[in-house]
Amino acid sequence: MEAAPASVDPLTSFAQLRCKKCRTILANSQQVQDHQLGMGSVTFNHTKRTISYIKEQQRSAGIIEEETSIEDRPFYQFSSEATRTCSSLFLEPLDWMKGINNGSTEGKIMCPKCETKLGAYCWAGQPCSCGSWIAPAFSVVRSKIDVQMIK
């Protein structure tokens, strides 16, 4: 069996998402909700700290002494694209997801076969690790699933 080339994104071609523990098919790539990358994890912080703010805190604590000439920009402008990749995939509501139709606004997404926690849902929405707000959110953690390419 031949592996997919590294340049092929498994979620743009047809793929199946499987539980990593029991290999049950959970969804396919057409059921994954696409979203735009956000500004990074600082988007939802209660204070959006900047590089100059951190440097000032370090100077006042005696960690650094020299004055630096860094522009006053948020952290996300210095982070690479790789550090802003999403740690979860957001799915459409699926029939096997327990509890989504019983009136609760949020809960856990469990594998329908082995009952392993795969993620969480929230009808009001939740932040993605990239900084985007997804509503409604049915997220599964990438480390809990396998992506299998289909020919």
Side-chain angles (χ1 to χ4, degrees):
M1 189 160 104
E2 195 174 302
S7 62
V8 174
D9 182 11
L11 296 177
T12 57
S13 55
F14 191 75
Q16 289 180 334
L17 307 179
R18 294 178 172 262
C19 172
K20 196 169 255 189
K21 185 174 180 182
C22 69
R23 309 287 296 148
T24 299
I25 297 172
L26 304 169
N28 62 46
S29 53
Q30 279 114 13
Q31 295 166 322
V32 175
Q33 292 180 345
D34 193 20
H35 64 279
Q36 294 181 353
L37 284 178
M39 300 297 230
S41 62
V42 296
T43 304
F44 299 107
N45 286 354
H46 68 283
T47 58
K48 294 182 177 76
R49 296 183 177 174
T50 59
I51 296 290
S52 61
Y53 173 81
I54 300 297
K55 293 293 182 183
E56 182 59 39
Q57 293 297 317
Q58 290 174 342
R59 273 193 292 283
S60 65
I63 297 171
I64 60 172
E65 296 179 17
E66 73 280 350
E67 183 67 32
T68 58
S69 61
I70 295 177
E71 295 177 11
D72 190 28
R73 287 192 258 171
F75 277 123
Y76 65 82
Q77 293 182 1
F78 293 101
S79 66
S80 68
E81 194 69 29
T83 60
R84 294 192 300 157
T85 57
C86 306
S87 60
S88 295
L89 293 176
F90 291 89
L91 304 175
E92 299 172 353
L94 300 169
D95 292 337
W96 59 264
M97 294 178 180
K98 295 179 183 172
I100 64 171
N101 293 325
N102 69 358
S104 64
T105 58
E106 57 187 43
K108 298 175 184 177
I109 296 177
M110 310 291 270
C111 174
K113 184 176 179 184
C114 68
E115 295 293 317
T116 299
K117 182 182 176 193
L118 301 172
Y121 71 90
C122 182
W123 285 100
Q126 66 187 36
C128 180
S129 61
C130 72
S132 288
W133 185 263
I134 311 297
F138 299 88
S139 65
V140 292
V141 182
R142 283 184 190 254
S143 63
K144 302 282 184 164
I145 60 168
D146 283 329
V147 177
Q148 179 185 22
M149 299 300 297
I150 303 298
K151 290 186 179 186

